[in-house]
Amino acid sequence: GESVGLHLPTLSVQEGDNSIINCAYSNSASDYFIWYKQESGKGPQFIIDIRSNMDKRQGQRVTVLLNKTVKHLSLQIAATQPGDSAVYFCAESRTYKYIFGTGTRLKVLA
Amino acid sequence: EPEVTQTPSHQVTQMGQEVILRCVPISNHLYFYWYRQILGQKVEFLVSFYNNEISEKSEIFDDQFSVERPDGSNFTLKIRSTKLEDSAMYFCASSEAGRGELFFGSGTQLSVL
């Protein structure tokens, strides 16, 4: 069946360091991938997306890498700030349905 | 900035009662969704809606669930006879295109007692 999973449930990083959040997916037919950030008490907020015809996409302070060979997705956050503290979800899609992973909690240490 | 709005923010109901969760998607969006999140767990897809009909639904979305766009602005999720396991945060989302950024509301926390 389909599944999207995350390697680490919690990631702690020092403020100013780079963060890397990883995600594995199992459906090789998925062709669209998204990272969402969820702060406490709020709905998921879009960060960045990537389509399967790409292997890297950059945004403002964020980069998503896609490795289709091993079905792996990662989110890199440069110069992590306290405001980056949240739960991060990856999601995969091949239709209108987005399948979310279980989430990684990012804690930024001062 | 346009946003998806959901009401109420909290809903408490007795098991077996009907509840209607309301959402106002972003005005120029054409695709609408409901997701739910049980406390501490992942966000789960329920249903997608386009052109006044369901385009896709999950196995969670059984006969107890229904969606409706009663007018040009609202999008509702109805649970006919709530069960304890329906307790969750329900998120409405909308998008301009079928595949792309989903904009989520802040959610309705449903508690079934």
Side-chain angles (χ1 to χ4, degrees):
Chain A
E2 300 168 328
S3 68
V4 179
L6 292 163
H7 295 309
L8 297 172
T10 303
L11 176 66
S12 297
V13 297
Q14 291 290 332
E15 181 179 354
D17 287 353
N18 296 334
S19 303
I20 299 176
I21 302 172
N22 296 303
C23 176
Y25 65 95
S26 62
N27 190 342
S28 57
S30 293
D31 61 358
Y32 180 61
F33 305 88
I34 320 98
W35 281 100
Y36 276 89
K37 171 186 180 183
Q38 187 177 28
E39 297 173 287
S40 181
K42 297 184 179 180
Q45 180 185 4
F46 175 91
I47 301 173
I48 191 168
D49 60 0
I50 188 168
R51 299 194 182 274
S52 59
N53 60 352
M54 303 172 68
D55 53 21
K56 180 179 180 179
R57 190 159 188 232
Q58 289 184 293
Q60 188 175 16
R61 279 201 309 119
V62 294
T63 301
V64 56
L65 299 178
L66 175 63
N67 186 330
K68 294 182 289 293
T69 303
V70 295
K71 294 181 219 164
H72 185 267
L73 192 68
S74 69
L75 176 70
Q76 300 178 0
I77 304 173
T80 311
Q81 302 169 358
D84 294 327
S85 293
V87 177
Y88 289 80
F89 294 94
C90 65
E92 54 118 348
S93 166
R94 55 186 173 87
T95 64
Y96 297 126
K97 177 172 73 174
Y98 291 3
I99 299 171
F100 284 78
T102 52
T104 292
R105 181 172 300 280
L106 177 64
K107 293 185 178 180
V108 182
L109 308 173
Chain B
E1 184 176 329
E3 60 180 12
V4 176
T5 57
Q6 290 186 243
T7 55
S9 57
H10 293 84
Q11 176 85 51
V12 180
T13 189
Q14 295 290 326
M15 187 171 57
Q17 294 297 303
E18 174 183 288
V19 294
I20 298 176
L21 309 183
R22 304 181 189 279
C23 169
V24 179
I26 294 173
S27 61
N28 64 330
H29 286 186
L30 301 177
Y31 296 81
F32 314 112
Y33 311 82
W34 284 100
Y35 284 77
R36 78 175 186 187
Q37 185 177 31
I38 295 171
L39 185 63
Q41 299 186 25
K42 61 183 179 182
V43 178
E44 300 176 292
F45 171 82
L46 293 177
V47 66
S48 60
F49 190 87
Y50 170 73
N51 199 26
N52 283 319
E53 60 182 25
I54 291 173
S55 50
E56 193 167 0
K57 61 182 180 179
S58 73
E59 56 276 8
I60 301 170
F61 194 89
D62 61 22
D63 292 344
Q64 294 301 311
F65 291 85
S66 63
V67 290
E68 188 179 30
R69 187 154 166 82
D71 53 41
S73 61
N74 291 283
F75 181 52
T76 62
L77 174 70
K78 180 192 290 186
I79 309 175
R80 290 189 183 83
S81 179
T82 50
K83 303 188 286 283
L84 295 176
E85 54 265 38
D86 293 328
S87 295
M89 179 72 86
Y90 287 80
F91 291 108
C92 174
S94 68
S95 66
E96 193 172 358
R99 300 286 300 281
E101 181 178 352
L102 294 190
F103 291 81
F104 283 83
S106 295
T108 293
Q109 179 65 55
L110 177 65
S111 298
V112 182
L113 306 178

